[in-house]
Amino acid sequence: DAKTTQPTSMDCAEGRAANLPCNHSTISGNEYVYWYRQIHSQGPQYIIHGLKNNETNEMASLIITEDRKSSTLILPHATLRDTAVYYCIAHSGGSNYKLTFGKGTLLTVNP
Amino acid sequence: DGGITQSPKYLFRKEGQNVTLSCEQNLNHDAMYWYRQDPGQGLRLIYYSQIVNDFQKGDIAEGYSVSREKKESFPLTVTSAQKNPTAFYLCASSKLAGGNTGELFFGEGSRLTVL
């Protein structure tokens, strides 16, 4: 899987949009971009994934640049419960069953 | 409700003792995984299994052992050979086909402390 680079930490005001960036400049054509989050002392939770097109679900939106070298996870109206470590992962799927979790971005939502 | 159950949530052991962490899933998933997490670090893969009676080493398998006798169960044994076993252990499962195969479902974790 391609290496991903994320900022170590970010802050966001409650009620505002949180935009979490991820660089994956060596991503290959068959690799998806996955996002997970981990609230302190809990197991990670899947958020969203995409290949080329932007994606949206009830939790977040994923914007992938046209060259696929970077992406942004958007939490449209952050709440205090969104404070967590967010992981961006490039993963090809198929017969590759190993997901590699880096250190992620600690998002702190402030009141 | 479907999900993954890990037990115990907290475990203390003395040096030199083996300990087994339980992981059970009722999601009918084929694949199961064990990850280790140290403070401030990401997750590192210990072992994974795609099918009953088969499993593969991950990135840090030394000092650990697993079994997969049933589809629902994937216990992890931390042996006395593991030099630094104090950590947060996470079990996960996933489908292998028919959709979003990169979506892992995680348990709540087991925190092991070696005294």
Side-chain angles (χ1 to χ4, degrees), chain A residues 5 8 11 19-20 25 29-30 41 57-58 63 69 75 78 96 111:
Chain A
T5 303
T8 302
D11 286 307
N19 297 287
L20 293 95
S25 57
N30 67 339
S41 293
N57 63 19
E58 64 279 4
I63 309 297
K69 292 185 177 182
L75 308 179
N96 176 14

Side-chain angles (χ1 to χ4, degrees), chain A residues 34 36 38 46 87 97 99 102, chain B residues 33 35 37 42 50 100 102 104:
Chain A
Y34 280 82
Y36 282 76
Q38 184 178 23
Y46 164 84
Y87 299 98
Y97 306 120
L99 258 67
Chain B
Y33 312 78
Y35 285 88
Q37 187 173 35
Q50 302 162 36
N100 181 6
L104 268 59

Side-chain angles (χ1 to χ4, degrees), chain A residues 24-39:
Chain A
H24 31 79
S25 57
T26 61
I27 195 169
S28 60
N30 67 339
E31 286 183 310
Y32 290 78
V33 178
Y34 280 82
W35 284 85
Y36 282 76
R37 74 178 184 185
Q38 184 178 23
I39 295 171

Side-chain angles (χ1 to χ4, degrees), chain A residues 40-42, chain B residues 6 8-12 21 37-39 85-89 108-113:
Chain A
H40 183 62
S41 293
Q42 295 183 20
Chain B
Q6 289 188 239
K9 193 172 175 67
Y10 298 95
L11 185 62
F12 298 87
L21 307 179
Q37 187 173 35
D38 294 286
T86 294
F88 188 47
Y89 291 89
E108 289 299 304
S110 293
R111 191 170 297 279
L112 172 64
T113 302

Side-chain angles (χ1 to χ4, degrees), chain B residues 44-104:
Chain B
R44 291 185 290 170
L45 183 64
I46 304 172
Y47 269 99
Y48 63 103
S49 168
Q50 302 162 36
I51 195 170
V52 173
N53 292 324
D54 188 44
F55 46 83
Q56 287 77 42
K57 292 182 179 179
D59 301 317
I60 55 164
E62 185 175 352
Y64 299 98
S65 66
V66 293
S67 63
R68 187 87 186 275
E69 297 177 0
K70 298 187 300 182
K71 186 176 184 178
E72 304 79 21
S73 178
F74 191 41
L76 173 74
T77 297
V78 184
T79 75
S80 56
Q82 168 51 233
K83 291 183 170 43
N84 187 17
T86 294
F88 188 47
Y89 291 89
L90 288 155
C91 180
S93 71
S94 71
K95 293 189 288 190
L96 291 186
N100 181 6
T101 59
E103 181 179 0
L104 268 59

